Amino acid sequence: MSTKGDILIIDDDPDFCEVVKTTLEANNFAVRCASDGLRGLAMMREKKPDLVFLDVIMVSPTEAFTSATR
């Protein structure tokens, strides 16, 4: 069975990522998680997601905004 879409979650909170991932996978979405902006960018280059959830408050104050502009 094919999925509804590919979603990438970029968030430094592993518990949040796991809860959202579990919920989305139960609804037939393919979900990948990255724990920081650099890893998220690398994952986007490996396979372009249909949707990105980007945490705007991570370890570095500008990390999410830097990732978003790239």
Side-chain angles (χ1 to χ4, degrees):
M1 180 188 311
S2 65
T3 63
K4 291 180 180 178
D6 181 55
I7 298 174
L8 174 61
I9 302 169
I10 304 173
D11 197 305
D12 58 352
D13 181 346
D15 294 328
F16 174 82
C17 188
E18 189 59 35
V19 168
V20 174
K21 180 179 179 178
T22 301
T23 303
L24 290 169
E25 286 178 339
N27 287 283
N28 204 31
F29 289 93
V31 182
R32 299 176 291 151
C33 291
S35 59
D36 61 58
L38 289 177
R39 181 70 187 132
L41 286 171
M43 292 174 80
M44 282 191 271
R45 289 182 181 114
E46 289 170 12
K47 182 178 183 219
K48 184 179 176 183
D50 297 308
L51 178 68
V52 176
F53 285 108
L54 177 61
D55 179 6
V56 296
I57 303 172
M58 288 196 269
V59 175
S60 168
T62 60
E63 183 174 2
F65 296 107
T66 301
S67 297
T69 59
R70 291 185 179 180

